[in-house]
């Protein structure tokens, strides 16, 4: 099947209007040896066949038969039903980037409201309209720090608690400009060297809360789960200059890793160093308020190689999903959602630590995800849990081969007491 | 302007509900000093929330509402069957770090879509991980860099980019640490070979090229360009933003390109979402395959496995597998069409563009009169009316405006792309609208200069927005 509206009748009329005898005449600029012959046999599918085909592929994912405690940057939360109803509106879903502001006021206002919501959540002054994901948000924030640096050979310091998959994207984005990267442990209180920027993730990859170290100079970047700021002191109140992270916990399905969206918010003095699209408020010719894409002199379509980033398409529709989710919960709901995540995770954690052979990994507190050392290898545990229909968490040996007995466990509002107690029962038999 | 949601708060109202707490964990609380003070978000009921956003949607337009002839953006119909499939729980609820054995369906989809895209583009392999076209460009440029370095060729620090290129090309090469040399366009709209030859040297890592280019023209000299660049030791990057009109007609691999990206949110119909999420797979030939980013999906016997680390790879580029929920839609789009249907897409996009170009000849200046591919440039005769004025007036006639002032080498220009899904009737209506507007330019130019008149707002002051930026709602 196809979605081409014009059929033979219109095609003949159009060719006649153009004044060519055949369609092939329109291809005259393509060198002959490059031209492919037109396929003769229709090898496409009908809509029904296509749907059945996709259903079959989806059914090959056995993951759904397990009750999963996987997190590590992607969490299973309830998505309010209103989210899909709004994001599937044609006027949002099928719109282009709002280049013609007057015709795209609704979309621009969405971006403006998203920027406002994320600033209020993180305690920051300004935000862009998103980057791709949590990893690219970290990378772009480090690049902002480098652009703000006075040193000719700026360095970046990353916490060892940063998600290893984020870290390698940061490395990817910094390598082109030969930026040196140092690493510091979670217990470091102060960094003596001069850095253009320092990045801490809290809760970090292992689930633990982490603090920004004291710095001589340099930009402080805090990466965090935005849901945790329903409960915890936001980055803006903790001295961070830039707050980044992934919006996935707020209204975005797991969807095998994407589409999610990276949020980026900053203090006032960094506004003109932000990458990507930004919506702003202005007035029209009659003085009435309206919205436009603004500060475009930072962007690739104007500044080309001098732009603050190469980003063009971002994750606009994902930010709409997160905005609606934030508003659906509201101030009280976000706090209670974060709190119930905290409580359920702590219930499980404390129960596990009472079992023989289970040991803590970190001294500090955590939000809704924790690392625990098992009495056996994670591989062994995984098998026993799966036999009971549970995917108990992420074996950390996948990222740190020496951590053979460590499991990273995420608990959200979707885990009720029965589920958690079943988990504990199976753990008791390890 | 409608009020922002932050101005609609009513104390004590809310939409949310949560699963009940259990006495077993009610005492768990973070330490007091970790807790935030108030969270300044509005308090809104679900109905008011719904009405707010439906109200906003009515002040916006997408391809479901009208023609969006934005050049180089390929705004085509977004089939709803794609949306339906993306919502299947088997896709939407799978975790990106689930073990390979638990997500064989997803991995097989990734594997076979890379095969399909390789076949369409004449390449040997690729990755679906890049999240959008610009990130795909970055991956491609990093792979070219890695290729030269692996050969011990450390001098290649320049990228050549045509003056008609998309802005992402120079921005990407700069991000990857290259300096940029701009290559001129010749009077026929093709790359200027003299300009290219004089720029080529042992310092050049590669050339980034769009073909058809941003004037909508297929480069007659492409094979010569490719051999010149290769002879100088450089590689060729294909910017796939304009892939739509060559589907099953010509393949970048055979043109001599070494690596490329595809914008699935253009050619493969995934919804643009008002600015994303997109998806920008990268395809490459055999010599660049070792440098592809991770994770990679491989087939071992009948099983699919994910390779997360590989020493020859340039490394990671996204948090996980990229925008899976987007490229699964594109995959379905590809298999619904088959090669037969893909060719139809290309042919009709070319036919639509040439029809529109031919009909607009009497209304606008057409600087490159030869047949075009999927898009073309048109200019406003120099005078008091600017292209931006006409663009704003087009909105009043119920269409989105074409791209204006791009490519930068065309003064007072439009870049117009009517994708293949548009019908002749829609194109005829657009032509009639432009005829009336050009008449207005003669009879009542003020109407055009002060447009739009029928939008929710009059012309907006962009200068003021940038000078005194207001980026968040201050009222609480």
């Amino acid at each position: 099947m196809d979605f081409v509206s014009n059929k033979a009748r219109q095609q003949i009329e159009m060719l006649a209007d153009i004044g060519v005898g055949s369609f092939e005449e329109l291809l005259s600029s393509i060198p002959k040896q490059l031209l492919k012959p037109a396929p003769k046999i229709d090898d496409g599918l009908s809509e029904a066949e296509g749907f059945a085909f996709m259903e079959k592929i989806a059914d090959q994912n056995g993951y759904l038969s397990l009750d999963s405690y996987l997190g590590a940057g992607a969490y299973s939360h309830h998505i309010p039903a209103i989210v899909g109803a709004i994001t599937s509106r044609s006027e949002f879903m099928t719109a282009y980037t709002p280049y013609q502001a007057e015709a795209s006021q609704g979309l621009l206002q969405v971006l403006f409201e998203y920027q406002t919501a994320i600033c209020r959540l993180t305690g920051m002054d300004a935000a862009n309209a998103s980057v791709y994901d949590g990893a690219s948000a970290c990378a772009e924030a480090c690049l902002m720090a480098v652009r703000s640096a006075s040193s000719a050979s700026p360095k970046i310091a990353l916490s060892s608690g940063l998600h290893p998959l984020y870290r390698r994207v940061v490395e990817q984005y910094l390598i082109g400009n030969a930026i040196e990267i140092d690493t510091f442990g979670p217990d470091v209180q102060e960094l003596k060297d001069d850095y253009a920027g320092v990045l801490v993730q809290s809760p970090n990859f292992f689930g633990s809360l982490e603090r920004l170290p004291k710095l001589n100079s340099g930009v402080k970047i805090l990466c965090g789960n935005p849901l945790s700021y329903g409960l915890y002191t936001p980055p803006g109140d903790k001295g961070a200059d830039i707050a980044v992270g992934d919006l996935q916990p707020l209204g975005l399905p797991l969807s095998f890793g994407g589409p999610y969206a990276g949020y980026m918010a900053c203090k006032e003095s960094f506004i003109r160093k932000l990458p990507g699209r930004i919506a702003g408020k202005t007035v029209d010719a009659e003085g009435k308020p309206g919205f436009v894409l603004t500060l475009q002199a930072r962007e690739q379509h104007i500044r080309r190689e001098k732009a603050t980033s190469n980003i063009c398409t971002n994750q606009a529709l994902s930010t709409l999903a997160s905005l609606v989710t934030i508003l659906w919960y509201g101030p009280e709901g976000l706090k209670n959602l974060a709190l119930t995540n905290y409580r359920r995770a702590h219930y499980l954690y404390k129960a596990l630590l009472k079992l023989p052979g289970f040991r803590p990994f970190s001294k500090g507190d955590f939000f809704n995800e924790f690392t625990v050392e098992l009495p056996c290898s994670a591989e062994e545990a995984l098998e026993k849990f799966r036999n009971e229909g549970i995917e108990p968490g992420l074996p950390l040996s996948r990222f740190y081969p020496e951590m053979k007995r460590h499991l990273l466990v995420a608990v959200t509002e979707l885990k009720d007491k029965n589920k958690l107690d079943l988990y504990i029962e199976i753990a008791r038999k390890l | 302007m409608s009020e922002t949601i932050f101005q609609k708060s009513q104390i004590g109202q809310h939409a949310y509900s949560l699963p009940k707490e259990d006495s077993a964990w009610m005492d768990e609380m973070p330490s007091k000093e970790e807790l935030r003070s108030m969270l300044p978000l509005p308090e809104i009921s679900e109905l008011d929330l719904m009405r707010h956003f439906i109200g906003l949607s009515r002040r916006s337009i997408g391809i479901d509402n009208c023609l969006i002839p934005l050049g180089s953006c390929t705004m085509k119909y977004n089939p709803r069957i794609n949306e339906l499939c993306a919502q299947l729980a088997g896709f939407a609820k799978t975790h990106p770090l689930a073990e390979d054995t638990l997500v064989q369906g997803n991995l097989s989809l990734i594997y076979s879509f890379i095969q399909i895209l390789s076949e369409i583009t004449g390449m040997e392999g690729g990755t679906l991980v890049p999240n959008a076209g610009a990130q795909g460009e970055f991956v491609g440029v990093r792979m070219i860099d890695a290729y030269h370095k692996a050969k011990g060729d450390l001098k290649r620090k320049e990228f050549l980019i045509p003056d008609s290129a998309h802005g992402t090309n120079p921005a990407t090469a700069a991000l990857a640490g290259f300096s940029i040399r701009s290559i001129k366009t010749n009077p026929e709209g093709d790359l200027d070979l003299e300009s290219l030859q004089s720029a080529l040297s042992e310092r050049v890592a590669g050339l980034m090229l769009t073909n058809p280019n941003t004037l909508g023209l297929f480069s007659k000299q492409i094979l010569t360009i490719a051999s010149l660049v290769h002879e100088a030791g450089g590689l060729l990057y294909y910017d796939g933003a304009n892939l739509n009109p060559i589907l099953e007609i010509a393949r970048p691999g055979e043109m001599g390109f070494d690596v490329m990206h595809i914008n699935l949110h253009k050619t493969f119909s995934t919804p643009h979402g008002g600015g994303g999420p997109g998806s920008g797979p990268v395809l490459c030939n055999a010599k660049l395959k070792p440098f592809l980013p991770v994770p990679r999906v491989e087939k071992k016997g009948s099983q699919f496995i994910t390779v997360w680390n590989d020493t020859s790879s340039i490394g990671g580029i996204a948090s996980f597998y990229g925008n899976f929920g987007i490229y699964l839609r594109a995959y379905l789009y590809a298999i619904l069409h088959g090669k037969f249907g893909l060719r139809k897409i290309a042919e009709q996009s070319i036919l639509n563009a040439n029809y529109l170009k031919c009909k607009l000849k009497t209304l606008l200046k057409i600087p490159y009169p030869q047949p075009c591919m999927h898009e073309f440039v048109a200019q406003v005769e120099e005078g008091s009316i600017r292209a931006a004025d006409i663009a704003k007036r087009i909105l009043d006639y119920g269409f989105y405006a074409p791209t204006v002032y791009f490519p930068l080498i065309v003064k007072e220009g439009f870049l117009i792309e009517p994708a293949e899904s548009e019908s002749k009737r829609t194109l005829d209506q657009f032509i009639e609208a432009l005829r009336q507007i050009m008449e207005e330019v003669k009879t009542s130019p003020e109407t055009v200069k002060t447009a739009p008149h029928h939008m929710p707002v009059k012309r907006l002051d962009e200068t003021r927005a940038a000078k005194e930026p207001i980026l968040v709602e201050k009222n609480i």
Side-chain angles (χ1 to χ4, degrees):
Chain A
M1 71 182 296
D2 62 65
F3 302 88
V4 172
S5 300
N6 292 323
K7 302 296 180 214
R9 187 182 173 117
Q10 292 85 34
Q11 286 161 351
I12 291 163
E13 286 174 18
M14 291 167 85
L15 284 169
D17 277 349
I18 297 167
V20 291
S22 75
F23 172 75
E24 280 63 36
E25 285 181 45
L26 298 176
L27 303 180
S28 57
S29 58
I30 303 179
K32 288 270 175 304
Q33 65 265 48
L34 291 178
L35 278 177
K36 292 183 74 178
K40 294 272 183 290
I41 301 158
D42 186 347
D43 56 346
L45 301 177
S46 68
E47 190 174 290
E49 289 165 320
F51 184 68
F53 181 81
M54 294 300 275
E55 265 189 319
K56 204 173 139 197
I57 298 175
D59 287 345
Q60 284 160 12
N61 294 322
Y63 179 73
L64 261 60
S65 63
L66 298 172
D67 183 32
S68 174
Y69 289 78
L70 285 178
Y75 305 90
S76 182
H77 290 289
H78 173 67
I79 297 174
I82 190 174
V83 172
I86 291 171
T87 56
S88 62
R89 284 287 286 193
S90 289
E91 293 80 358
F92 296 136
M93 189 180 87
T94 76
Y96 201 74
T97 302
Y99 289 140
Q100 293 294 339
E102 295 83 359
S104 306
Q105 280 301 288
L107 179 56
L108 283 158
Q109 188 172 329
V110 164
L111 300 180
F112 182 82
E113 291 182 1
Y114 159 74
Q115 290 168 192
T116 306
I118 208 70
C119 284
R120 292 188 182 187
L121 198 55
T122 57
M124 290 291 176
D125 300 322
N128 68 13
S130 77
V131 291
Y132 307 125
D133 56 16
S136 75
C138 288
E140 291 278 12
C142 290
L143 287 170
M144 281 175 75
V146 169
R147 282 195 295 277
S148 309
S150 47
S151 157
S153 50
K155 291 195 297 178
I156 292 285
L158 302 178
S159 160
S160 61
L162 177 63
H163 196 309
L165 295 179
Y166 286 20
R167 182 184 171 107
R168 62 196 208 178
V169 176
V170 173
E171 288 168 353
Q172 189 76 260
Y173 273 75
L174 293 188
I175 201 171
N177 294 295
I179 312 295
E180 200 183 312
I181 300 177
D182 284 349
T183 308
F184 59 94
D187 301 327
V188 171
Q189 307 278 316
E190 187 176 357
L191 292 173
K192 298 265 192 265
D193 275 18
D194 282 323
Y195 289 99
V198 55
L199 191 155
V200 164
Q201 186 178 15
S202 179
N204 67 16
F205 176 67
F206 305 97
S208 316
L209 302 181
E210 237 183 88
R211 277 173 209 285
L212 279 161
K214 273 196 198 128
L215 278 188
N216 290 332
S217 60
V219 178
K220 293 178 192 154
I221 306 162
L222 199 54
C223 171
N225 179 341
L227 171 57
S228 71
Y229 303 137
L231 188 60
Y232 290 112
T233 308
D237 295 350
K238 289 201 278 199
D241 300 302
I242 304 173
V244 293
D246 203 302
L247 292 172
Q248 188 278 331
L250 297 172
L252 301 172
L254 285 171
S255 191
F256 206 48
Y260 302 163
Y263 72 83
M264 294 191 78
C266 66
K267 289 286 170 66
E268 185 111 37
S269 54
F270 294 90
I271 289 177
R272 285 173 200 269
K273 299 215 159 47
L274 277 170
R277 310 282 187 210
I278 300 176
K281 201 181 214 177
T282 185
V283 292
D284 73 359
E286 291 176 349
K288 282 198 306 195
F291 300 94
V292 291
L293 287 177
T294 193
L295 303 178
Q296 296 194 68
R298 302 164 296 109
E299 289 192 72
Q300 46 78 27
H301 61 288
I302 311 280
R303 287 295 290 278
R304 298 176 80 82
E305 66 267 26
K306 294 191 178 65
T308 57
S309 168
N310 69 334
I311 192 168
C312 180
T313 289
N314 53 38
Q315 306 277 122
L317 201 65
S318 301
T319 65
L320 173 58
S322 290
L323 171 64
V324 174
T325 304
I326 290 170
L327 295 168
W328 189 79
Y329 279 106
E332 183 189 75
L334 269 188
K335 183 185 163 198
N336 290 339
L337 173 62
L339 190 57
T340 200
N341 270 257
Y342 176 93
R343 285 171 167 165
R344 287 162 205 251
H346 282 72
Y347 172 74
L348 180 62
Y349 180 71
K350 287 187 177 168
L352 290 178
L353 284 189
K354 281 182 196 148
L355 302 178
F358 277 82
R359 291 219 296 253
F361 167 73
S362 144
K363 289 190 292 276
D365 202 7
F366 59 91
F367 170 49
N368 67 348
E369 185 171 30
F370 57 84
T371 297
V372 67
E373 192 181 336
L374 306 170
C376 59
S377 78
E379 286 308 307
E380 220 174 299
L382 228 58
E383 201 188 321
K384 288 185 178 156
F385 272 104
R386 280 189 193 159
N387 288 339
E388 307 287 338
I390 290 176
E391 185 69 356
L394 184 76
L396 283 176
S397 57
R398 276 183 61 183
F399 292 96
Y400 304 95
E402 70 283 5
M403 297 178 79
K404 292 204 185 329
R405 298 160 84 98
H406 290 88
L407 201 60
L408 179 61
V409 184
V411 184
T412 71
E413 75 282 3
L414 299 181
K415 301 299 180 208
D416 61 23
K417 186 152 181 299
N418 288 338
K419 284 181 177 174
L420 295 172
D421 287 344
L422 179 61
Y423 191 110
I424 296 160
E425 275 320 298
I426 299 163
R428 196 187 302 279
K429 292 181 227 151
L430 289 180
Chain B
M1 183 196 71
S2 64
E3 287 177 309
T4 68
I5 194 74
F6 300 92
Q7 296 161 319
K8 294 182 175 177
S9 186
Q10 299 186 65
I11 292 168
Q13 297 199 358
H14 67 84
Y16 82 98
S17 62
L18 275 172
K20 287 207 170 46
E21 296 285 25
D22 193 288
S23 57
W25 55 62
M26 280 307 280
D27 294 339
E28 299 293 345
M29 275 299 281
S31 70
K32 275 221 172 72
E33 60 268 28
E34 297 279 3
L35 296 180
R36 77 176 296 154
S37 52
M38 67 134 184
L39 178 53
L41 292 173
E43 298 173 78
I44 316 268
S45 69
E46 184 161 324
L47 175 60
D48 284 346
L49 198 55
M50 183 65 103
R51 283 189 184 149
H52 175 75
F53 284 101
I54 298 307
L56 290 186
S57 75
R58 293 172 68 175
R59 295 159 65 87
S60 254
I61 48 178
I63 196 71
D64 287 352
N65 303 100
C66 67
L67 170 72
I68 302 185
L70 282 166
S72 273
C73 300
T74 313
M75 287 298 282
K76 59 172 73 179
Y77 176 62
N78 308 142
R80 287 314 192 273
I81 185 65
N82 296 346
E83 301 307 309
L84 202 62
C85 288
Q87 286 157 20
L88 289 170
F91 296 131
K93 294 191 172 184
T94 39
H95 193 284
L97 294 175
E99 258 190 30
D100 294 345
T101 53
L102 300 173
V103 286
Q104 285 294 297
N106 292 347
L107 299 183
S108 76
L109 186 153
I110 291 172
Y111 187 85
S112 48
F113 196 27
I114 291 172
Q115 283 189 318
I116 289 174
L117 293 178
S118 299
E119 169 66 25
I120 289 172
T121 56
M123 292 291 177
E124 298 285 329
T127 173
L128 307 182
V129 176
N131 283 304
Q135 201 175 43
E137 289 179 21
F138 182 58
V139 165
V141 169
R142 290 275 305 114
M143 286 167 65
I144 289 175
D145 192 28
Y147 168 82
H148 291 308
K149 285 185 176 145
K151 288 203 318 179
D153 193 348
L154 306 175
K155 291 193 301 286
R156 298 186 181 270
K157 294 308 291 172
E158 281 177 13
F159 247 89
L160 307 184
I161 292 168
D163 54 8
S164 63
H166 297 117
T168 48
N169 293 179
T172 297
L175 175 63
F178 289 93
S179 58
I180 313 302
R181 282 189 75 161
S182 180
I183 308 298
K184 282 195 201 113
T185 301
N186 72 20
E188 290 79 48
D190 207 336
L191 200 66
D192 187 82
L193 286 185
E194 269 178 43
S195 176
L196 174 65
Q197 268 165 317
S198 69
L200 282 169
S201 74
E202 74 285 348
R203 293 186 307 280
V204 170
L207 167 72
M208 295 182 89
L209 202 63
T210 316
N211 189 29
N213 66 12
T214 60
L215 303 167
L217 304 173
F218 193 96
S219 174
K220 283 183 176 170
Q221 320 170 128
I222 186 58
L223 295 168
T224 313
I225 292 169
S227 49
L228 284 174
V229 174
H230 286 149
E231 277 162 25
L235 295 184
L236 250 77
Y237 184 89
Y238 180 87
D239 175 343
N242 291 354
L243 185 71
N244 206 44
I246 61 163
L247 292 171
E248 291 304 318
I249 285 183
R251 305 197 298 172
E254 282 156 19
M255 297 173 205
F257 288 95
D258 299 285
V259 56
M260 63 177 290
H261 79 268
I262 302 176
N263 305 75
L264 296 181
H265 45 291
K266 297 180 180 179
T267 308
F268 288 85
S269 86
T270 68
H272 205 282
S279 181
V282 166
L283 289 307
C284 67
N285 59 19
K287 63 182 165 206
L288 288 175
K289 263 180 89 169
F291 307 105
L292 280 165
V294 283
R296 293 187 198 143
V297 175
E298 291 177 3
K299 196 171 181 185
K300 290 265 150 72
S302 63
Q303 288 289 300
F304 296 93
I305 58 157
T306 301
V307 176
W308 287 93
N309 295 296
D310 179 82
T311 46
S312 66
S313 163
I314 60 160
I317 187 69
S319 298
F320 301 106
Y321 290 90
N323 285 338
F324 176 82
I326 300 300
Y327 54 74
L328 81 83
R329 290 167 164 94
Y331 174 65
L332 175 58
Y333 185 78
I335 59 170
L336 285 176
H337 282 81
K339 289 188 172 195
F340 188 80
L342 291 173
R343 170 88 181 204
K344 277 199 193 172
I345 291 175
E347 289 186 354
Q348 192 60 45
S349 75
I350 295 170
L351 190 51
N352 276 1
N354 279 284
Y355 177 74
L356 203 52
K357 180 178 183 175
C358 170
K359 292 279 180 173
L360 293 182
K361 231 167 11 193
T362 54
L363 301 170
L364 296 164
K365 191 172 146 196
I366 304 288
Y368 303 98
Q370 65 268 48
C372 63
M373 296 295 281
H374 65 304
E375 63 186 357
F376 60 97
V377 287
Q379 284 171 294
V380 182
E381 295 284 358
E382 276 176 59
S384 64
I385 297 283
R386 305 199 59 207
D389 298 326
I390 291 172
K392 297 298 182 197
R393 189 62 178 147
I394 290 173
L395 305 177
D396 282 335
Y397 280 81
F399 302 96
Y400 214 78
T403 302
V404 281
Y405 305 124
F406 180 84
L408 307 178
I409 54 169
V410 181
K411 297 271 172 286
E412 292 303 320
F414 296 110
L415 181 61
I416 308 177
E417 178 179 7
E420 75 284 352
S421 44
E422 298 300 338
S423 70
K424 179 173 179 293
R425 185 165 179 270
T426 303
L427 300 183
D428 287 338
Q429 287 169 337
F430 182 69
I431 294 158
E432 176 55 23
L434 264 172
R435 194 194 61 73
Q436 290 184 30
I437 293 170
M438 296 317 287
E439 194 58 38
E440 287 175 345
V441 168
K442 286 183 218 144
T443 56
S444 57
E446 276 311 304
T447 312
V448 181
K449 280 189 210 170
T450 55
H453 303 284
H454 307 312
M455 291 290 110
V457 288
K458 302 281 182 191
R459 202 176 296 195
L460 290 156
D461 189 344
E462 295 193 15
T463 313
R464 175 177 162 145
K467 229 177 189 172
E468 306 156 34
I470 303 172
L471 311 181
V472 293
E473 179 67 71
K474 298 281 186 201
N475 300 332
I476 294 179

